[in-house]
Amino acid sequence: MKRALSLLLSLLLLVGALSGCGQAAAPTPASVTPAASSASATPEATPEATPEATPAAAPDLSGKTISVGRWGGNDAETASFAKMLEGFTAKTGIKVDEKVYTDYNVQLQADMVSGSAPDVFYVDAYMARFYIGQGLVAELDPAAIANEKFYKPLSDAFTVDGKVYAASKDFSTLALYYNRKWVKDGEVPAALEDLLNGSYLSDLKKKLPEGVAPMTYNLDLARNLDMLQISGQDILKDGKFANLSQPELIANLQPLVDAALAKKIFTPADLGQGWNGDAFGNEKTAIMMEGNWVLGHLKTNFPTVDFGVVEVPTYQGKKHTMVFTVGYAINAKAKEPEASLAFIQYATGEEGMTIWCGGAGVLPSRKDVADAMKVAQDVKLAPHVAGAEYATPWQKGETLDIVSREFGNYLASVVKGEITLADGMKKADEAANASIE
């Protein structure tokens, strides 16, 4: 579905370019740099701004209106976003019209085609390469958004060929959770090899009640990309084609498969649960690897479960985890590019990010903001914050949706013992590349 829509959007954009310019041309991203008038909208984000620029900001930008596109959220997120907008308008005089989408990427892409897309919009790192590749988002001046203050993996998620196209608004990483009823603090092996293929999980299984798994895992590529690429190989060839059957990648994933075949680890579905959060909360598993979004779920729905959180165990001697982030990008055809940049400066600056993250319960993408908010002092958040320094972003080219789909399809057969991992990944490559070609 996504691939078909991407191709349709590309065609429509090309038709528009031909009719408007009289010649075919590859889309070239616009570039947004701060004008003297907007540099002082958030002095914290642009410390180089000159005193002469400051007085000019209000008359040039005050009274302007921009549109910001996002998807819906829970009550806390909605309230925090509204509070952040209030702060932005109070500080800059710029008004914001929200456009909330229910089927985000489908509706946003349709608006791109019709010319009604918002000035600023959310871009998931997972989709960033598509929007950038289609020339739909404007290049951002790194200095204007204080790009050096973001955790590097989060900045890298929106950087292509050294150019920055979005600013991360928050993030989540995976960490290891354990139930203290069965697992003692400091007991979990520090290396993934020992956890998956040593005796720890087998010994733990013997102590657990009937029906409780030692550990859950997921078949999604989004949860396993860091493990696959730990030794430096890439799951894509030529930035496009699936290359999952490389011997090195097979070797990297084999410990997970071996643990699954040995019945040391189980998917939530194996346990009759919808996801890790419910499996862990219902005490159907002693250990899980999950994102920090699960903390609110556990607190609200399973308040009596006593658990600890640590960083994902090292693999091949390296720290690793996955990071998921969403950024703010500016429409390449934004009606108010300078006011749009001022919004991003505020929303991802110290004040705006503190308001948003503090109320929505998400992690700040900038280390200085994280330090100011003291999020790492929370023992359950600290492992997630630490992961931001070395995590692998959930992003990989414009064909990731296809590669991810086939990876999951064939890995499911592998862990059932129906085919070998090598055969499964070869078939995944063939199926994915047939769709890509």
Side-chain angles (χ1 to χ4, degrees), residues 175 177 180 292 295-296 299 307-310 361-364 370-371 373-386:
Y177 287 65
R180 288 194 172 107
N292 43 279
L295 288 168
K299 181 179 180 181
F307 63 93
V309 187
V310 295
V362 292
L363 295 176
D371 290 344
M373 293 180 67
K374 300 179 180 180
V375 291
Q377 292 185 15
D378 184 320
V379 294
K380 288 182 169 61
L381 285 176
H384 290 287
V385 176

Side-chain angles (χ1 to χ4, degrees), residues 120-254:
V120 180
F121 51 87
Y122 282 5
V123 174
D124 193 311
Y126 175 75
M127 291 293 295
R129 292 298 179 109
F130 167 75
Y131 288 107
I132 295 168
Q134 295 296 330
L136 300 175
V137 296
E139 180 186 345
L140 301 178
D141 177 1
I145 60 170
N147 194 55
E148 76 284 353
K149 294 185 179 181
F150 290 81
Y151 290 106
K152 190 176 185 302
L154 307 183
S155 174
D156 289 348
F158 302 108
T159 302
V160 177
D161 296 331
K163 298 178 180 179
V164 180
Y165 292 92
S168 173
K169 69 184 186 70
D170 54 48
F171 75 94
S172 298
T173 60
L174 301 181
L176 187 145
Y177 287 65
Y178 60 92
N179 189 318
R180 288 194 172 107
K181 180 186 292 187
W182 301 303
V183 180
K184 297 178 182 178
D185 292 342
E187 179 181 294
V188 177
L192 196 60
E193 295 92 332
D194 295 333
L195 175 63
L196 294 177
N197 303 135
S199 63
Y200 178 77
L201 291 177
S202 296
D203 293 341
L204 176 60
K205 187 176 183 179
K206 296 173 184 177
K207 304 175 185 178
L208 298 173
E210 185 71 25
V212 178
M215 178 175 158
T216 51
Y217 75 108
N218 295 86
L219 298 171
D220 305 331
L221 182 58
R223 302 299 187 100
N224 297 293
L225 183 61
D226 56 328
M227 188 176 183
L228 273 167
Q229 297 188 154
I230 194 73
S231 52
Q233 286 75 27
D234 197 312
I235 64 165
L236 297 185
K237 182 179 181 181
D238 300 329
K240 179 179 181 181
F241 296 103
N243 202 19
L244 298 164
S245 56
Q246 296 175 74
E248 295 87 353
L249 297 185
I250 298 299
N252 291 344
L253 192 60
Q254 194 66 55

Side-chain angles (χ1 to χ4, degrees), residues 74 76-77 172 177 275 277-278 280-281 288 290-305 307 309 359-362 378 380-381 384:
N74 58 37
E77 291 169 341
S172 298
Y177 287 65
W275 70 297
D278 283 343
F280 191 81
M288 69 172 177
E290 194 51 78
N292 43 279
W293 52 75
V294 77
L295 288 168
H297 179 68
L298 294 176
K299 181 179 180 181
T300 301
N301 299 302
F302 306 100
T304 62
V305 175
F307 63 93
V309 187
V362 292
D378 184 320
K380 288 182 169 61
L381 285 176
H384 290 287

